[in-house]
Amino acid sequence: AVAPEFQRLGFGRRLHDALMAAQAHECALLTTLDSVTAGRCLYESNGWSVLADGFRFERSTARYVIMGWQRT
């Protein structure tokens, strides 16, 4: 996560792009909160799509989505 005072400055996008460029696999999965957050918007704008929603981790009341990405 990017600290709030550094959000909307492009750090998250640059970090995401560098990590995905180094990704050896053709696809990837992640989980993020099931709400509209800066992180989720970033993922969606970079081609991630929701594969499942309403997911809950054990011992957590928060809801998450599972997102997938495939290299194009």
Side-chain angles (χ1 to χ4, degrees), residues 42-61:
L42 172 69
Y43 299 135
E44 289 174 343
S45 72
N46 276 290
W48 291 83
S49 57
V50 174
L51 303 176
D53 60 1
F55 179 80
R56 290 179 196 241
F57 288 101
E58 188 175 330
R59 299 187 182 130
S60 173
T61 59

Side-chain angles (χ1 to χ4, degrees), residues 16-28:
H16 173 274
D17 292 349
L19 288 170
M20 297 319 291
Q23 170 64 268
H25 302 285
E26 295 298 312
C27 57

Side-chain angles (χ1 to χ4, degrees), residues 26-43:
E26 295 298 312
C27 57
L29 295 172
L30 64 78
T31 59
T32 190
L33 288 171
D34 190 1
S35 60
V36 178
T37 62
R40 183 168 174 182
C41 292
L42 172 69
Y43 299 135

